[in-house]
Amino acid sequence: MNALRGNDAFVYNEGVLQNARKTFYREVRPSNRSRERFTVLFLHGIGLTSTIWINIGTFQILAELGYRALAVDLPGHGNSNDLSIPYSRDDILGYMTNLFTALELQLPVLVSPSKGGEYAMPLLMAYPRILRGLVAIAPSDTSHYLIKDYQKLSVPLLVLFGEKDETMLHKSSLDSLWYTPNHMTD
């Protein structure tokens, strides 16, 4: 599945990361890597896969702007091996650090919608300095950390919710994220 419009300015690649629980990934990056900006890593929500970021045009736009965009099928989803899904926060943290190593990530922006928060939050809390920023879209798994953990974060954090998001997730996520430094409300 590749809905990217052909362009000599970027290169598309996909594969399986053997050292990260056989995670399937998709990648687009500028053909001229000397002009490459930073990397944006996309997770996905429940019931979705990495193809969502291609289908809605995100990969195309980032590629044209010179960014390396990566998206993975989280364990048990899409083309990723579903035999060893990490469930504990320690297992998830180990998975995410292996993923970062396998993808050779250097200070990426991590985009994590809904259930992807279960993968993003342990990484953010344990190793916040390996992220350039976090875009959390209606994130899950925010209530498992202490207020003091949120208060010490220095990573730029953008939290988004849909205007019609009526779920409990919306309220519980905001209750925890309220404590991040330099937050703003409207």
Side-chain angles (χ1 to χ4, degrees), residues 6-35:
N7 189 325
D8 291 339
F10 59 83
V11 176
Y12 175 81
N13 186 38
E14 60 184 45
V16 174
L17 302 167
Q18 295 300 320
N19 294 330
R21 295 184 189 248
K22 298 181 180 174
T23 298
F24 180 81
Y25 74 96
R26 300 169 194 281
E27 171 185 50
V28 64
R29 65 188 323 162
S31 298
N32 182 350
R33 290 199 185 171
S34 67
R35 294 186 177 194

Side-chain angles (χ1 to χ4, degrees), residues 1 26 42-45 47-59 71-73 113:
M1 167 72 200
R26 300 169 194 281
F42 294 91
L43 304 182
H44 59 78
L48 299 172
T49 67
S50 59
T51 58
I52 186 69
W53 304 110
I54 293 175
N55 293 343
I56 65 173
T58 306
F59 261 39
V72 298
D73 287 351

Side-chain angles (χ1 to χ4, degrees), residues 17 23-27 38-44 50 53 58-59 62 67-74 95-97 99-101 103-113 119-120 123 130-135 137:
L17 302 167
T23 298
F24 180 81
Y25 74 96
R26 300 169 194 281
E27 171 185 50
F38 58 84
T39 300
V40 181
L41 173 62
F42 294 91
L43 304 182
H44 59 78
S50 59
W53 304 110
T58 306
F59 261 39
L62 288 176
Y67 293 92
R68 177 187 182 204
L70 283 159
V72 298
D73 287 351
L74 292 171
Y95 166 74
M96 290 300 289
T97 56
L99 184 67
F100 270 52
T101 300
L103 292 170
E104 300 176 358
L105 295 175
Q106 302 284 326
L107 287 173
V109 168
L110 179 59
V111 178
S112 176
Y119 290 83
L123 184 71
I130 68 170
L131 295 176
R132 180 180 302 269
L134 173 65
V135 178
I137 306 166

Side-chain angles (χ1 to χ4, degrees), residues 159-174:
V159 182
L160 303 169
F161 290 95
E163 66 181 26
K164 295 182 180 179
D165 187 351
E166 305 274 334
T167 66
M168 292 300 292
L169 177 65
H170 177 267
K171 189 136 184 79
S172 65
S173 292
L174 283 180

Side-chain angles (χ1 to χ4, degrees), residues 150-163:
Y150 286 98
Q151 291 172 330
K152 66 183 180 183
L153 290 176
S154 60
V155 175
L157 179 63
L158 174 62
V159 182
L160 303 169
F161 290 95
E163 66 181 26

